[in-house]
Amino acid sequence: MASCSKSLVVANGGLGNGVSRQQLLNVLQRCGLVDSLLMPPNKPYSFVTYSSTEEAIQACASLSGQDLPSADSEQKITLYFSFVEKVEVREILPPPLPPGLVIVEDFVSPDEELVMLENILWEVDNSNQKSLKHRRVKHYGYEFRYDNNNVDKDQPLPGGLPEFCNSVLDRCLLQGLIKNRPDQLTINQYEPGQGIPPHIDTHSAFEDEIISLSLGAEIVMDFKPPSGSSVPVMLPRRSLLVMSGESRHLWTHGITPRKFDVVQMTEGQKFGTVSRNSEELTLNKRGTRTSFTFRKIRRGLCKCAFPSVCDSQQKDSSPPPVGDLGAESLEKEYVHKVYEDIAGHFSSTRHTPWPKITDFLMGLPIGSLVADVGCGNGKYLGVNKELYMIGCDRSKNLVDICGKKKFEASICDAMSLPFRSGSFDACISIAVIHHFATEERRLAAILEITRLLKTGGRALIYVWAMEQEYKKQKSKYLKGSKSSTKQASLTDVPVTPDSTDSLPIHTNRTAFDSQDLLVPWHLKAKSQAGKSDASTTSEEEQQLASRSVYHRYYHVFCEGELEALCGKLSDVTVQSAYHDQGNWCVVLGKF
């Protein structure tokens, strides 16, 4: 421990665990004059410097173990103090606003705010109202569809935009904040603790300027470029946010679900980016905020300068018309081709064997011959050195990675495995069957796996589960998100590969709302660069960047569906079935 000094670290007392600056000061000032209090953003500790060493000694002796209610009064926090030799104060300039972002303070008066809020009529008129899991929503002009993050431009809502918004829109046009009068309005109501994940409004759906009024309460909105750290921006009550150019087309924006925001305590700064200086920050309790977001429907293709995130300029980013593609073509384009392109990056994220799969392999008799159907990068091929394991995968690039690891693997299709019937003691198929686009093809793939088994042989099959939260436990897939709030629910009626509708694109790290969907894979720049040679030109790099988001087809299984499918086979029995980290799993036995 450091010798006695004027400075102390306050463990368990920081902005990151719900302690506000004033709360902490009220406790610290009992022992003397506080020269400085540094509260780093999102950290559960602080640093206090007293005017004398004697005051710091008294604080360390008398305040350690002090109980302090958190800012939301839901739990007690116990403070602990230790001496530190030196506390450095570094001034960090606040980041600039994202390019193209404008904030206009007090754009509406308190009276206008009251009129707009009263005219929403949440409880009276619910004809255009949606009840999302994490907020209340109303649409005017055109309904924003959360199944495809777009609007049906041929199906306007009756009545257009409400008349009580006309004065606001007239003012926006008069002041040159927008070029076109909006014809679509989405009203969102956020209670404390609610938010919306980072997103970019679909390019092809709306024109450049998007404007949003913050009524009822202020909020911190987080903006983030494709590469770089998040920029927190304070949006004051009754302010107008204008997003255009880069801030509208390239940067994501979202609201982190929490009850308190980290804000500046400095008088005079009411809007703009929030400073990262730890001596200027405190907590601000959120209130109920209602946003009025106005957009202009786009009638042509988007021709912005950001093709890497533009659905108009990136054909592969739009969901395919499934009925036109057919199951085999869908799998070829949105499974086989994708894994071929992302193999290196995918392999770098797949290195730790799952315990229950390891247990299955370790429980097999020594010398067993085992097939890993859809082996990927060979993660399970070397788990048990006492087995003879052979892998196979549709992706040549993944099989090449297995070869570099000295594993036995071959290229093949899971629908037609190049092995003799009844030649394997066991088979595993991990995260493969859910990539087949029809029930018939999924059943055929399982039949092919069990064909390989000897009598008495066993197979372990894993598929993604619709139920990512099971028995009140969230899967690692959901826990991997900084926010468990879903941006939008998908369609209420599952879209199947037998229909002519487009598949919904899933929002990563959120619960599934449709069984058949496309799941984005964001390919990192280093992985892309690894596929090109050292002489890659700037133009080639831009082409690589434009393919940075891939979409993989999945059919996620409901509870009991995998067992029912396996039950259609005549020579196997389901020995056990269980849920493992967002997967439905079965162990089959052949008789």
Side-chain angles (χ1 to χ4, degrees):
M1 185 179 74
S3 59
C4 296
S5 67
K6 295 193 295 183
S7 298
L8 299 162
V9 58
V10 187
N12 210 32
L15 301 175
N17 62 329
V19 178
S20 72
R21 179 174 292 272
Q22 193 56 52
Q23 277 184 305
L24 192 53
L25 276 173
N26 290 342
V27 174
L28 298 174
Q29 289 173 343
R30 296 175 192 168
C31 297
L33 181 62
V34 173
D35 277 353
S36 68
L37 174 59
L38 307 184
M39 303 188 76
N42 305 314
K43 300 297 183 182
Y45 55 81
S46 303
F47 298 95
V48 58
T49 299
Y50 281 94
S51 60
S52 69
T53 302
E54 291 72 25
E55 291 170 325
I57 293 173
Q58 182 184 351
C60 188
S62 62
L63 298 182
S64 281
Q66 177 80 40
D67 285 338
L68 181 71
S70 65
D72 58 9
S73 301
E74 292 181 356
Q75 60 179 342
K76 284 186 178 180
I77 292 171
T78 304
L79 305 178
Y80 299 96
F81 292 75
S82 295
F83 287 100
V84 292
E85 294 181 1
K86 186 178 181 182
V87 177
E88 290 188 4
V89 180
R90 293 185 299 167
E91 185 170 353
I92 305 172
L93 294 176
L97 285 173
L101 192 71
V102 175
I103 303 170
V104 183
E105 284 190 273
D106 296 317
F107 192 76
V108 295
S109 68
D111 289 341
E112 287 177 305
E113 176 187 42
L114 183 61
V115 168
M116 295 184 76
L117 291 175
E118 288 181 342
N119 274 280
I120 299 174
L121 303 176
W122 291 109
E123 308 302 333
V124 178
D125 176 17
N126 58 7
S127 59
N128 56 351
Q129 185 171 327
K130 295 292 180 183
S131 181
L132 299 184
K133 184 177 180 181
H134 298 285
R135 62 188 187 278
R136 290 201 291 186
V137 178
K138 270 195 174 185
H139 301 291
Y140 295 87
Y142 294 82
E143 179 184 354
F144 185 85
R145 292 183 53 190
Y146 294 107
D147 58 342
N148 59 7
N149 292 329
N150 214 315
V151 293
D152 189 340
K153 300 175 184 179
D154 297 323
Q155 294 291 329
L157 296 173
L161 270 57
E163 291 186 5
F164 63 85
C165 295
N166 285 340
S167 61
V168 169
L169 298 180
D170 291 342
R171 202 177 308 151
C172 289
L173 287 164
L174 183 63
Q175 296 183 15
L177 297 171
I178 53 176
K179 301 183 186 71
N180 303 295
R181 191 177 190 87
D183 52 11
Q184 195 274 336
L185 165 64
T186 297
I187 301 177
N188 286 285
Q189 186 176 83
Y190 300 89
E191 298 292 342
Q194 295 179 337
I196 186 169
H199 65 282
I200 300 173
D201 286 62
T202 307
H203 288 204
S204 63
F206 308 111
E207 293 286 354
D208 189 12
E209 297 99 349
I210 293 176
I211 58 176
S212 185
L213 272 173
S214 293
L215 304 183
E218 64 271 17
I219 198 73
V220 170
M221 183 174 285
D222 295 308
F223 288 80
K224 188 174 182 180
S227 60
S229 57
S230 180
V231 176
V233 177
M234 169 61 81
L235 305 181
R237 180 177 178 177
R238 295 189 296 277
S239 68
L240 180 74
L241 171 71
V242 183
M243 291 187 293
S244 64
E246 186 172 323
S247 66
R248 180 267 186 269
H249 290 109
L250 186 62
W251 290 55
T252 63
H253 62 281
I255 297 171
T256 303
R258 57 194 175 205
K259 294 184 178 180
F260 293 83
D261 283 319
V262 176
V263 300
Q264 285 179 231
M265 65 172 186
T266 309
E267 287 292 331
Q269 174 153 20
K270 298 179 181 178
F271 74 96
T273 55
V274 179
S275 169
R276 294 190 176 96
N277 290 326
S278 55
E279 71 273 23
E280 297 181 354
L281 300 177
T282 188
L283 291 179
N284 182 57
K285 188 173 184 178
R286 285 184 179 176
T288 298
R289 172 181 175 265
T290 303
S291 65
F292 283 65
T293 301
F294 298 91
R295 309 174 180 94
K296 173 67 176 176
I297 298 297
R298 185 186 292 278
R299 294 296 174 181
L301 296 176
C302 178
K303 299 179 181 179
C304 69
F306 312 101
S308 65
V309 291
C310 180
D311 61 317
S312 289
Q313 302 177 61
Q314 190 178 4
K315 293 181 181 179
D316 286 347
S317 68
S318 59
V322 183
D324 294 340
L325 277 179
E328 291 186 49
S329 297
L330 173 67
E331 293 163 15
K332 180 178 179 181
E333 186 70 18
Y334 289 89
V335 181
H336 305 161
K337 184 177 183 299
V338 172
Y339 278 104
E340 208 67 82
D341 286 352
I342 70 171
H345 184 207
F346 178 81
S347 178
S348 71
T349 67
R350 300 296 189 272
H351 43 75
T352 304
W354 284 35
K356 290 188 177 181
I357 302 172
T358 298
D359 290 344
F360 176 85
L361 294 172
M362 296 303 293
L364 295 173
I366 294 174
S368 294
L369 181 61
V370 183
D372 185 347
V373 179
C375 64
N377 68 344
K379 180 170 69 172
Y380 293 104
L381 294 179
V383 165
N384 187 347
K385 306 297 184 184
E386 304 295 333
L387 304 177
Y388 296 101
M389 292 198 67
I390 298 174
C392 59
D393 200 281
R394 184 63 175 72
S395 167
K396 177 184 180 300
N397 288 335
L398 286 172
V399 170
D400 286 345
I401 291 172
C402 292
K404 291 177 182 177
K405 296 178 179 179
K406 307 301 182 184
F407 293 141
E408 293 288 340
S410 61
I411 304 167
C412 69
D413 194 308
M415 298 282 286
S416 181
L417 297 172
F419 306 116
R420 285 197 317 238
S421 299
S423 56
F424 285 85
D425 298 292
C427 296
I428 63 172
S429 177
I430 311 303
V432 176
I433 304 300
H434 52 220
H435 285 310
F436 289 98
T438 65
E439 181 177 325
E440 292 76 16
R441 292 174 66 77
R442 293 189 283 273
L443 182 60
I446 296 174
L447 180 61
E448 186 70 355
I449 291 169
T450 59
R451 177 185 66 81
L452 304 185
L453 293 175
K454 299 176 181 178
T455 300
R458 302 164 69 207
L460 174 65
I461 298 175
Y462 268 55
V463 295
W464 270 17
M466 183 85 169
E467 299 82 0
Q468 289 295 306
E469 185 171 349
Y470 185 67
K471 293 183 178 179
K472 298 184 180 180
Q473 294 292 321
K474 290 184 178 180
S475 68
K476 290 181 180 179
Y477 178 73
L478 292 184
K479 290 178 180 178
S481 174
K482 293 180 180 179
S483 166
S484 61
T485 306
K486 193 179 186 311
Q487 176 181 350
S489 61
L490 300 176
T491 178
D492 292 332
V493 182
V495 182
T496 66
D498 297 321
S499 73
T500 57
D501 293 331
S502 293
L503 285 169
I505 296 179
H506 177 60
T507 302
N508 281 331
R509 300 294 182 181
T510 65
F512 296 117
D513 283 329
S514 178
Q515 281 194 265
D516 293 88
L517 37 74
L518 298 177
V519 178
W521 180 277
H522 296 268
L523 188 63
K524 290 185 178 179
K526 287 184 179 179
S527 299
Q528 292 170 315
K531 298 194 319 184
S532 59
D533 57 34
S535 61
T536 302
T537 65
S538 297
E539 182 178 352
E540 289 170 335
E541 289 174 355
Q542 290 176 0
Q543 290 175 349
L544 284 171
S546 70
R547 298 194 299 271
S548 61
V549 181
Y550 291 80
H551 293 91
R552 297 172 293 165
Y553 167 79
Y554 280 83
H555 171 85
V556 292
F557 282 66
C558 291
E559 184 172 6
E561 182 179 353
L562 180 58
E563 296 165 77
L565 194 62
C566 295
K568 295 182 179 182
L569 303 179
S570 59
D571 58 349
V572 297
T573 182
V574 177
Q575 294 182 342
S576 65
Y578 56 94
H579 187 274
D580 184 18
Q581 286 297 339
N583 294 269
W584 286 117
C585 324
V586 295
V587 176
L588 303 178
K590 190 168 185 178
F591 56 84

